[in-house]
Amino acid sequence: MPRDHRPGKSIRVLLAEDQGMMRGALALLLGLEADIEVVAQVGTGDAIVGAALESRPDVALLDIELPGVSGLDAAALLREETPDCRVLILTTFGRPGYLRRAMEAGAAGFLVKDGPVEELARAIRRVLTGETVIDPALAAAALGAGPNPLTARECDVLKASANGATVADIAAKLHLSESTVRNYLSSAIGKTNTRNRMEAMREARQQGWL
């Protein structure tokens, strides 16, 4: 559960965003709110947990697509390492699969970046009361999209197939046999209704399953 916050006490926020200009603008705008203080800023997913342990934020505001650990994976790590910290995902990519994964990782909210900063500030305050804050349009889309049909291993194989990796490359990276890799790829292609593994990977990314 979130900590109690007395009226007038600043809400401590950690901001994780890989684009320096966006990160600086968000920090500046949030800092104009009388009850919000940005206590840490990081540009990579790998730096999130360490910064949170050092600065002890009340809310971690995380982008999804970060260098290193993704914001979704970082959310799960923060749940283990700093359980008092509430996580709010803020992303350009409003994909239903991302929303489902964020909730599974323990995030308290999910917003897209095209909203006004006043809405973001309200969301930060609301998650501290125990509310879950989700972009309404994305919530409706997620309900209609259905669950991720891919298994965790099929997702791993699709991720590993990026950048023109061969079946042998994927097998070596994931410590699988080449025949097993081919089976996973074939299954993923079928479940995504695509023609080949590259199309399957693109479709899975578009849906937010990877």
Side-chain angles (χ1 to χ4, degrees), residues 85-106:
C85 178
R86 302 282 279 174
V87 173
L88 186 58
I89 299 293
L90 182 66
T91 182
T92 303
F93 305 101
R95 297 168 180 167
Y98 278 167
L99 173 57
R100 289 179 178 274
R101 290 168 61 195
M103 296 299 102
E104 290 170 358

Side-chain angles (χ1 to χ4, degrees), residues 9-27:
K9 181 179 178 181
S10 292
I11 302 169
R12 298 169 61 82
V13 173
L14 178 151
L15 179 58
E17 162 65 52
D18 64 326
Q19 296 183 30
M21 186 175 293
M22 173 68 76
R23 185 171 66 249
L26 276 174

Side-chain angles (χ1 to χ4, degrees):
M1 293 297 292
R3 304 181 199 130
D4 292 329
H5 289 273
R6 298 184 299 276
K9 181 179 178 181
S10 292
I11 302 169
R12 298 169 61 82
V13 173
L14 178 151
L15 179 58
E17 162 65 52
D18 64 326
Q19 296 183 30
M21 186 175 293
M22 173 68 76
R23 185 171 66 249
L26 276 174
L28 179 62
L29 291 171
L30 288 174
L32 295 176
E33 299 290 323
D35 59 341
I36 294 176
E37 178 186 4
V38 177
V39 296
Q41 300 180 47
V42 299
T44 67
D46 296 335
I48 290 172
V49 172
L53 289 172
E54 182 176 349
S55 62
R56 292 295 173 179
D58 302 302
V59 176
L61 189 59
L62 310 182
D63 193 7
I64 290 180
E65 297 195 354
L66 296 166
V69 175
S70 75
L72 296 175
D73 291 334
L77 293 172
L78 287 175
R79 181 174 55 184
E80 298 296 323
E81 297 291 339
T82 57
D84 286 336
C85 178
R86 302 282 279 174
V87 173
L88 186 58
I89 299 293
L90 182 66
T91 182
T92 303
F93 305 101
R95 297 168 180 167
Y98 278 167
L99 173 57
R100 289 179 178 274
R101 290 168 61 195
M103 296 299 102
E104 290 170 358
F110 194 108
L111 298 175
V112 292
K113 290 180 180 178
D114 60 0
V117 71
E118 293 81 9
E119 180 181 328
L120 176 58
R122 284 194 296 270
I124 289 171
R125 298 181 187 108
R126 288 172 63 192
V127 297
L128 283 178
T129 70
E131 290 187 59
T132 299
V133 182
I134 299 173
D135 179 87
L138 184 58
L143 287 174
N148 178 4
L150 302 174
T151 67
R153 210 49 166 158
E154 287 165 355
C155 288
D156 289 340
V157 169
L158 283 180
K159 289 177 186 176
S161 68
N163 302 319
T166 65
V167 169
D169 293 333
I170 299 169
K173 181 176 182 179
L174 298 179
H175 306 290
L176 299 171
S177 69
E178 293 186 23
S179 62
T180 298
V181 169
R182 290 191 183 92
N183 288 339
Y184 281 133
L185 287 173
S186 177
S187 178
I189 290 166
K191 289 179 179 179
T192 54
N193 295 313
T194 53
R195 295 174 298 179
N196 54 58
R197 59 177 170 142
M198 298 311 296
E199 287 186 5
M201 183 176 66
R202 282 195 295 269
E203 176 65 17
R205 288 194 184 281
Q206 182 62 36
Q207 294 296 330
W209 298 333
L210 299 183

